[in-house]
Amino acid sequence: MTDQTTEAQAAKPIPVTVLTGYLGAGKTTLLNRILSESHGKKYAVIVNEFGEIGIDNDLIVESDEEIYEMNNGCVCCTVRGDLIRVVEGLMRRPGRFDGIIVETTGLADPVPVAQTFFMDDDVRAKTELDAVVALVDAKHLPLRLKDSREAEDQIAFADVVLINKTDLVTPEELAIVEDVVRAINPTARIYKTSRSGVDLSRVLDQGAFNLERALENDPHFLDHDHEDHVCGPDCDHDHHHHGHDHHHHDHDHTCGPDCGHDHHHDHGHHHGHHHGHHDSMSPIHDITVKSISLRGGEMNPDRFFPWVQKITQTEGPNILRLKGIIAFAGDEERYVVQGVHMIVEGDHQRPWKDGEKRESRLVFIGRNLDFAKIEQSFLACQATAKTPA
Ligand SMILES: Nc1nc2c(ncn2[C@@H]2O[C@H](COP(=O)(O)OP(=O)(O)OP(=O)(O)O)[C@@H](O)[C@H]2O)c(=O)[nH]1
């Protein structure tokens, strides 16, 4: 703060909105609204995603906004490394942004992301955590609360909760979901939405983040010993590698054997102390969630659609999320396919650009999936494949 060159910026810290919510809840849909609606403001967007081949970035609407992608499945590394660096880079260009929006991976605990804005002195001086906004998938919340603690934690930590996908549930189911959300977080502002359709004045510039409450939930919220979770110098986690030359990666291979970091979703290390009602179990949980990134050439739609239907019907319960950009042979437009469990949807997105490689990319995130089989049957949908699976 005393640094004279930064005084002007320090006077008006840049608000930061953190978007959280489980896989497929509607974060990108909300982000696209923020980037598309005319509010006269300019936002810098930071996206952290779990799948490695950069699908999320492709699903964000094209806009003038600057988008920073952080492709790694390991939020702690991101938080202590990339995020601070990206934010510091943004801060060096004052006046260009009215706000920063951070979209976290659906598996992330928002706590370490929020902490970042308090730990690094420089970042702390120039930014202000405005609100943590959690998206909830009304249809799948009951399931999520059974199988993943992240979903609950994301709600607990939020200042604003959007109960989204109201179109997929009955009014009775919705009322139950709302009660559950209220029980997990008695103070959050709650809105019910379809397609993340909320008046943006309810989401942005809220001045809602409450440090007191964060400390109540987690008395260690501001402790610098969280820094222990930084990946060590021996961590072979490649923070910038997009994995383009590999067909698939299991995400529990992110950090090397010498990495002091207990991954893989070690955002779990906060759970022991941030909600009293959690048992103090192993910091590692949800290790069963893995992702596969598939790449192929142009697809035959007569093979691809029945395949994706079949796989989501048979494997639906295990598929937390699927998303991809598909190149269909003879089709001038990119096709986006997205799914959560058994619900799949798809649409043309935009024409392929000149020189853009017409390839198909698909990410599955789930449990107990037979990745070899999925990959093989996916490749069999290619227009050039000899025998369909
Ligand atoms: N039926 C229905 N579908 C929705 C709604 N909101 C979003 N979707 C769809 O749900 C899927 C996931 O939405 P996204 O906005 O990509 O979700 P996300 O939280 O960004 O997903 P991840 O980045 O994978 O965690 C997409 O196919 C959306 O079109 C809604 O209110 N109703």
Side-chain angles (χ1 to χ4, degrees):
M1 289 277 206
T2 52
D3 179 348
Q4 273 144 25
T5 60
T6 59
E7 231 159 43
Q9 303 141 43
K12 196 178 176 299
I14 299 210
V16 177
T17 305
V18 174
L19 299 185
T20 177
Y22 207 75
L23 293 166
K27 298 178 293 294
T28 307
T29 306
L30 177 62
L31 182 60
N32 283 342
R33 281 185 189 275
I34 296 172
L35 297 180
S36 311
E37 287 185 16
S38 55
H39 37 59
K41 297 209 168 162
K42 193 155 169 52
Y43 292 94
V45 176
I46 302 175
V47 184
N48 173 217
E49 65 179 295
F50 187 74
E52 287 200 19
I53 55 176
I55 300 268
D56 287 20
N57 207 21
D58 276 312
L59 299 180
I60 295 171
V61 291
E62 292 191 5
S63 73
D64 301 338
E65 252 64 35
E66 295 187 40
I67 295 176
Y68 301 84
E69 208 181 342
M70 301 188 300
N71 301 66
N72 55 58
C74 165
V75 81
C76 295
C77 307
T78 303
V79 163
R80 300 297 177 245
D82 292 1
L83 187 52
I84 288 177
R85 269 192 297 280
V86 170
V87 171
E88 280 177 342
L90 287 174
M91 292 302 103
R92 262 178 243 123
R93 297 178 298 152
R96 295 199 52 181
F97 306 104
D98 298 298
I100 296 175
I101 300 183
V102 184
E103 180 186 347
T104 61
T105 126
L107 290 168
D109 177 350
V111 173
V113 177
Q115 279 170 336
T116 305
F117 295 92
F118 293 91
M119 310 222 102
D120 183 273
D121 291 340
D122 205 32
V123 169
R124 183 180 181 151
K126 293 170 197 162
T127 62
E128 180 174 66
L129 186 56
D130 183 69
V132 175
V133 178
L135 274 289
V136 171
D137 177 334
K139 175 151 181 81
H140 294 113
L141 183 71
L143 193 60
R144 280 298 80 76
L145 293 177
K146 282 196 201 118
D147 71 8
S148 84
R149 216 158 42 182
E150 287 91 347
E152 185 179 343
D153 288 3
Q154 289 164 348
I155 294 169
F157 192 64
D159 304 295
V160 177
V161 177
L162 303 190
I163 301 179
N164 193 36
K165 307 201 184 182
T166 52
D167 55 303
L168 298 181
V169 292
T170 63
E172 294 74 30
E173 287 169 323
L174 185 58
I176 293 171
V177 167
E178 189 174 2
D179 285 349
V180 168
V181 169
R182 192 41 88 208
I184 297 172
N185 187 333
T187 57
R189 300 169 199 168
I190 298 177
Y191 303 100
K192 286 169 265 188
T193 61
S194 171
R195 302 274 160 197
S196 309
V198 64
D199 184 342
L200 294 181
S201 68
R202 307 262 178 242
V203 172
L204 301 171
D205 285 322
Q206 296 300 289
F209 183 77
N210 188 333
L211 189 57
E212 307 267 290
R213 195 166 55 77
L215 284 166
E216 230 167 68
N217 280 338
D218 177 2
H220 301 284
F221 183 76
L222 292 177
D223 290 359
H224 281 260
D225 65 3
H226 282 290
E227 306 262 359
D228 292 347
H229 303 292
V230 178
C231 281
D234 297 331
C235 170
D236 70 357
H237 185 164
D238 183 344
H239 294 244
H240 300 288
H241 177 58
H242 289 201
H244 284 281
D245 43 8
H246 297 287
H247 274 272
H248 60 83
H249 302 268
D250 281 351
H251 275 263
D252 43 357
H253 299 153
T254 13
C255 291
D258 299 330
C259 170
H261 180 175
D262 54 11
H263 47 84
H264 103 229
H265 297 133
D266 94 326
H267 39 281
H269 58 243
H270 298 285
H271 296 277
H273 48 239
H274 105 248
H275 300 303
H277 58 276
H278 284 143
D279 45 358
S280 61
M281 47 184 286
S282 153
I284 304 174
H285 67 103
D286 227 349
I287 201 159
T288 54
V289 176
K290 290 184 181 175
S291 88
I292 179 176
S293 299
L294 305 170
R295 271 170 194 277
E298 294 189 320
M299 295 280 151
N300 176 343
D302 297 333
R303 291 175 186 172
F304 180 81
F305 286 114
W307 172 76
V308 83
Q309 283 302 332
K310 187 173 159 213
I311 204 153
T312 47
Q313 289 315 305
T314 56
E315 294 294 332
N318 291 327
I319 300 172
L320 293 169
R321 192 78 173 96
L322 85 83
K323 46 191 161 184
I325 313 277
I326 306 299
F328 285 121
D331 190 339
E332 288 309 306
E333 296 200 6
R334 292 169 27 136
Y335 192 89
V336 171
V337 60
Q338 297 216 50
V340 177
H341 292 296
M342 292 185 181
I343 295 171
V344 197
E345 58 182 34
D347 211 349
H348 282 107
Q349 185 197 31
R350 61 160 173 82
W352 289 97
K353 291 178 184 163
D354 282 347
E356 191 172 26
K357 190 173 176 197
R358 291 202 185 196
E359 62 173 359
S360 301
R361 293 176 288 152
L362 192 57
V363 173
F364 280 85
I365 303 173
R367 294 192 174 91
N368 306 320
L369 293 169
D370 182 342
F371 288 145
K373 197 169 137 202
I374 292 175
E375 179 165 41
Q376 194 189 22
S377 52
F378 169 74
L379 294 174
C381 299
Q382 292 178 110
T384 54
K386 288 206 178 66
T387 44

